[in-house]
Amino acid sequence: MKVVYFLAAILALTSSVVSAYDPSPLQDFCVAIKEKDGVFVNGKFCKDPKLVKAEDFFIHVEPGKPNPLGVAVTPVFVDQLPGLNTLGISLARIDFAPKGLNPPHTHPRATEILIVIEGTLYVGFVSSNQDGNRLFTRVLNKGDVFVFPFGLIHFQLNVGYGDAVAIAGLSSQNPGTITIANALFKANPPISEDVLIKAFQVDKNTIEYLLKQNCFDVEVGVRESRIGIGDPSGRKVCE
């Protein structure tokens, strides 16, 4: 009986580890389509394999127009490219104006690997509380690659004198994005000011000032869903 309990515990542990990532596909492909009713498979319904075409796996990505923060993130996730469904990968093109910033954010469902195509970027991530919130940074030039570990807060800043371009690969078809400034100061409904005042150890006027700041779209370009699902409005960052 002890052996049975041991094997059950191992199976439960293994299952919990596997479920932390996109599940592996059980077929060659599962091109996403829009459906209103039924059970979702890996988050999206699958098109009839006999109706799948090459276009389901193709998309053209144009450069994005940077916002007032000087950055434009053009995602290629499952909502933009249906053929990514169940494949556990996606990418984003990031265009930076001089001094442009992709502000501190996290991807709750993915590791990110970034390569600089043009320009010079100052990038970094912060480790967890248990690791002492250590900051890891590097200046990247054309051809350099940097990895941001799963779920950790990270950022990219253009420190060159010209425009910069980077491509980010992510280990999920739908990595999600939590921009720290938005989550804290533009939550809906708002987080209590008392909570923010105590958390940041600042006065009420400072919190009220931050709550009144404007927000700008970050995700642009190919953000419209080709399968009719998802939020096409992009994510906003406060200035």
Side-chain angles (χ1 to χ4, degrees):
M1 183 61 68
K2 289 183 178 180
V3 174
V4 174
Y5 284 136
F6 176 75
L7 292 176
I10 293 297
L11 179 60
L13 178 61
T14 303
S15 299
S16 66
V17 172
V18 172
S19 64
Y21 302 92
D22 286 3
S24 298
L26 301 178
Q27 63 285 316
D28 288 347
F29 43 77
C30 170
V31 173
I33 57 172
K34 179 182 178 180
E35 292 289 348
K36 295 182 179 179
D37 301 306
V39 179
F40 287 102
V41 179
N42 284 27
K44 308 292 182 185
F45 286 99
C46 298
K47 178 187 283 189
D48 184 337
K50 296 178 182 179
L51 302 178
V52 170
K53 300 179 181 180
E55 287 74 16
D56 294 317
F57 304 95
F58 171 81
I59 196 169
H60 178 74
V61 179
E62 292 285 350
K65 182 180 179 181
N67 65 18
L69 293 181
V71 66
V73 179
T74 306
V76 183
F77 301 162
V78 67
D79 282 338
Q80 291 79 36
L81 185 58
L84 287 175
N85 195 38
T86 76
L87 299 184
I89 59 170
S90 60
L91 63 79
R93 172 180 173 132
I94 313 174
D95 290 275
F96 297 85
K99 310 305 178 185
L101 171 68
N102 191 11
H105 61 281
T106 178
H107 302 293
R109 296 181 288 275
T111 296
E112 177 180 334
I113 183 168
L114 179 137
I115 182 169
V116 177
I117 305 301
E118 294 290 344
T120 302
L121 298 178
Y122 170 68
V123 307
F125 67 86
V126 180
S127 67
S128 64
N129 295 358
Q130 291 79 1
D131 189 61
N133 298 129
R134 290 191 293 158
L135 175 63
F136 297 80
T137 64
R138 183 86 180 190
V139 174
L140 305 181
N141 295 298
K142 182 177 179 179
D144 289 342
V145 175
F146 196 82
V147 174
F148 304 101
F150 197 107
L152 297 185
I153 295 173
H154 57 284
F155 59 87
Q156 299 105 22
L157 173 67
N158 182 4
V159 293
Y161 293 101
D163 295 341
V165 180
I167 300 294
L170 298 119
S171 62
S172 172
Q173 67 189 41
N174 185 27
T177 302
I178 301 173
T179 304
I180 307 307
N182 281 10
L184 293 173
F185 300 108
K186 293 296 178 181
N188 185 22
I191 297 175
S192 166
E193 289 187 15
D194 292 336
V195 172
L196 297 174
I197 289 168
K198 194 167 186 69
F200 286 95
Q201 294 293 289
V202 295
D203 59 36
K204 181 179 179 67
N205 290 336
T206 301
I207 293 299
E208 289 181 345
Y209 171 79
L210 292 172
L211 289 170
K212 293 177 181 177
Q213 297 312 293
N214 294 323
C215 290
F216 302 103
D217 284 343
V218 171
E219 289 181 357
V220 296
V222 191
R223 46 179 197 191
E224 291 77 14
S225 171
R226 285 172 54 181
I227 54 177
I229 337 178
D231 177 12
S233 62
R235 57 189 169 93
K236 295 182 177 180
V237 174
C238 302
E239 183 188 58

